[in-house]
Amino acid sequence: MDMTPQEYQAYVRKKAPKSPIVKNTLLAFVTGGAICVVGQLIQNAFLRLGLDKADAGAAASISLVFLSALATGLNVYNSLARFAGAGTLVPITGFANAVVSPALDFKSEGLITGTAVKMFTIAGPVLAFGTAASVVYGVVLMLLGP
């Protein structure tokens, strides 16, 4: 069966299921917003405990990373991601999930060659390029002055 590329694309469009864009967008928005609300509630709790704003923000970030890693380990975060899609990619929780997921996937290969090595397969490039970009930014800022 010979098809031109245009005919093949038309065939694929006809056979592919339609994506519920509005539903997916709303789910992502509500889920991402809910994660942010939880983060704000955690920060407010730390503020009430007497931490200053900077320390409460750091403690809230650490708490969100821990909760996200724990939820990933319990397979709760992945279930939520299948339901909510991109809403779970809120930066800090999505990053923690991206670090923990490969580590769990490869734990059967051992502590060092599995968990420790594979932990940064997804997050490694983000860390490397983020660090490099911060160095470049720092050098430019130093050269240009305050």
Side-chain angles (χ1 to χ4, degrees):
M1 179 163 131
D2 290 331
M3 291 180 135
T4 66
Q6 293 82 11
E7 290 173 331
Y8 178 74
Q9 289 299 324
Y11 174 76
V12 168
R13 274 193 297 275
K14 188 170 71 173
K15 293 292 184 180
K18 301 296 179 212
S19 177
I21 293 173
V22 173
K23 176 187 166 210
N24 291 346
T25 303
L26 287 173
L27 280 173
F29 178 77
V30 169
T31 304
I35 291 171
C36 291
V37 166
V38 168
Q40 187 64 53
L41 291 172
I42 292 170
Q43 182 177 4
N44 290 349
F46 282 120
L47 286 169
R48 285 195 190 106
L49 290 174
L51 271 65
D52 65 23
K53 190 167 183 165
D55 290 341
S61 295
I62 291 167
S63 299
L64 284 172
V65 167
F66 171 76
L67 291 172
S68 176
L70 180 64
T72 299
L74 297 173
N75 202 30
V76 172
Y77 201 90
N78 294 335
S79 298
L80 179 64
R82 275 193 295 281
F83 170 73
T88 58
L89 295 177
V90 174
I92 200 160
T93 57
F95 182 76
N97 176 264
V99 171
V100 174
S101 288
L104 291 175
D105 290 343
F106 291 96
K107 69 181 177 184
S108 63
E109 294 182 21
L111 182 62
I112 303 299
T113 58
T115 303
V117 172
K118 301 296 183 176
M119 187 180 307
F120 296 107
T121 54
I122 294 174
V126 174
L127 292 171
F129 286 109
T131 302
S134 67
V135 169
V136 170
Y137 178 75
V139 169
V140 169
L141 186 63
M142 183 185 72
L143 292 174
L144 295 178

